[in-house]
Structure formats: structure tokens, C-alpha cells
Amino acid sequence: MNVSCSGSPAEGRPVVVLLHGGGNDLATMAEFQEALSAEGRVCSYDRLGAGGSDQPQGPQDYDAVGETLTAVLDEVVGDQPVVLAGHSMGGLIAARYAPDHLDRVQGLVLLDATSPTAIADMEARIPESATGAAAQLRAQTLAIYAGENPEQLVFADGEVASVGDIPVRVIQHGQQYLAALDPEYGPGLEEDWTKGQQDWATMSTNSELSVAEDSGHDIHLEAPEIAVEAVETVVSQAAG
């Protein structure tokens, strides 16, 4: 596994662990990590199939990527508490992982995380009878969800599980890039994405959903100050 850690551990402060988006690697989190490391320990890692890490042995599910995350935490964090901050597919993985690992996960930041109902949303929004660019968008997206991605992660829709009252911050893109993908179905895709962010915000009784008005999907790159503030808020609440 390719892992990067920076910053010094701070007394009583959870370690921040960053999860990159699908099709990316930890290099895309480097500036975000550097900004956060001024206050404490921050780590990121390439999941299997990404960046400098090994290839997966075959298709992966959430349990498999969760086992890898657990192994990384055991190695670089030990028994210290963590705050997970995930972007896109990384946010989805963090949100699926946290409910079963509340012994170590004390906070979550979800940066435009993939919807918990992404597959059903796409299938319902763009009908199988669609043609042209819309049909291509549907087929490509569903193929990614079916495991045709570098990590061979097979997505699965599911209910949003509770994480109790740990601090959770959900940040959604404000620049509607999905609406531009297709004139007929794009606005509906934006509606589905918004609903997905609202669903993630139900994870905790201590959650907050906000919109990065001037940012597209890559919030940690396009509006880093918003992403950093969200992580610092969650870390402070978790530490308190």
C-alpha cells in the first residue's frame, strides 16, 4: 500500500485520514493534506488499484475496501481515534465504513460523496430507451458502478446507517456540472445528487449539510478553504 502521512500528532486530536475519489490517487489530496497537517497528523493512501498501491486480486465490495482501510489504520494510526474525510467515491467508502467502526471513527467529512442510491438514481433518471449521448452516459456510469473502474469496486445501493451523534459534515458542489452533461437529463441528475447528499446528512444527529457555491465536484481542490474548515470543525468537536 502506498501511504503518505504528514504533520505531528497532537494530544487529544484525532488523526485525519483522507480518502481520494474514484479514478484518482493520493496525489490529488496532497495540497489538502498539507494544509491540514499544520494542526496535526494527517494521512492518505492509495486504495488497491490506485496510484502506487498493488492491484486488487479481483472485484471488490465495501467489505473488501473496508478491510484495506482497517489495515492502513492499524499500521499508521494504531489505536488512535480518526476522522475520515472522503471525496466522491472515497466519501461513499468512508460513509459505509464508519457505522461499523465507531470504536475508532469519531467524525466524518463527506466532500460531494457518491449517493447511497447512485445505481437506482441513474437507472431511473436516464431510461434504458435513451439514445445518443444520454445512452452513452448511462452505460458508462453504470459500467463504473458495476466494477469497471481502476479499483474494481462493485457499487451497491443501500440504506444510510446511523453513526449516532459523532460530528458529520456533508459538503455538496454548487456549480452544477451534472446539469451540463445532458440537456434533457442533466438537471434531474443534479436533483438526484442533492437528494443523495441530504440522505448522507441523516447519518448523525450532529450533522450539517452545506453547499460550496463556487465549486464543482472537486471541492478540496476548487474550494480548499471550505474543505479545510469542515475538517477542522469536525476534528475540534471530536476532540472536545
Side-chain angles (χ1 to χ4, degrees), residues 105-141:
V105 179
Q106 294 192 350
L108 282 173
V109 178
L110 305 180
L111 302 169
D112 225 27
T114 303
S115 171
T117 55
I119 300 169
D121 291 345
M122 178 56 68
E123 290 177 337
R125 181 61 61 180
I126 304 181
E128 194 171 3
S129 59
T131 59
Q136 184 177 15
L137 173 61
R138 184 184 196 274
Q140 289 177 341
T141 303

Side-chain angles (χ1 to χ4, degrees), residues 6-237:
S6 54
S8 301
E11 182 74 24
R13 178 185 172 94
V15 176
V16 176
V17 178
L18 307 178
L19 286 79
H20 62 78
N24 294 318
D25 56 32
L26 64 77
T28 64
M29 312 297 281
E31 293 185 5
F32 187 32
Q33 178 171 325
E34 181 179 0
L36 291 167
S37 64
E39 300 296 331
R41 190 71 163 166
V42 186
C43 296
S44 58
Y45 72 104
D46 288 329
R47 295 187 295 275
L48 294 177
S53 290
D54 291 342
Q55 295 298 308
Q57 295 182 348
Q60 302 191 88
D61 58 14
Y62 296 136
D63 287 341
V65 294
E67 289 174 3
T68 301
L69 175 52
T70 295
V72 170
L73 296 181
D74 288 345
E75 181 67 25
V76 302
V77 178
D79 60 357
Q80 293 178 271
V82 299
V83 165
L84 301 180
H87 168 244
S88 192
M89 189 169 91
L92 171 66
I93 292 170
R96 292 304 188 199
Y97 180 85
D100 294 327
H101 297 86
L102 294 175
D103 56 325
R104 67 196 317 170
V105 179
Q106 294 192 350
L108 282 173
V109 178
L110 305 180
L111 302 169
D112 225 27
T114 303
S115 171
T117 55
I119 300 169
D121 291 345
M122 178 56 68
E123 290 177 337
R125 181 61 61 180
I126 304 181
E128 194 171 3
S129 59
T131 59
Q136 184 177 15
L137 173 61
R138 184 184 196 274
Q140 289 177 341
T141 303
L142 291 178
I144 290 172
Y145 293 157
E148 294 183 25
N149 56 75
E151 301 172 41
Q152 298 184 51
L153 174 63
V154 179
F155 288 60
D157 288 349
E159 298 292 329
V160 173
S162 173
V163 291
D165 62 354
I166 69 170
V168 174
R169 295 297 177 269
V170 179
I171 305 178
Q172 176 184 346
H173 68 263
Q175 296 298 308
Q176 298 198 343
Y177 73 97
L178 293 171
L181 294 178
D182 183 88
E184 182 175 1
Y185 300 108
L189 295 175
E190 290 286 357
E191 293 177 6
D192 295 338
W193 194 269
T194 295
K195 176 61 165 56
Q197 306 312 297
Q198 293 170 344
D199 288 344
W200 285 133
T202 67
M203 291 187 71
S204 172
T205 57
N206 179 15
S207 66
E208 182 178 312
L209 169 63
S210 60
V211 177
E213 297 291 353
D214 297 326
S215 179
H217 186 49
D218 297 325
I219 296 171
H220 59 296
L221 300 176
E222 299 175 36
E225 69 286 352
I226 293 176
V228 169
E229 181 180 10
V231 173
E232 290 298 342
T233 297
V234 169
V235 169
S236 295
Q237 290 189 11

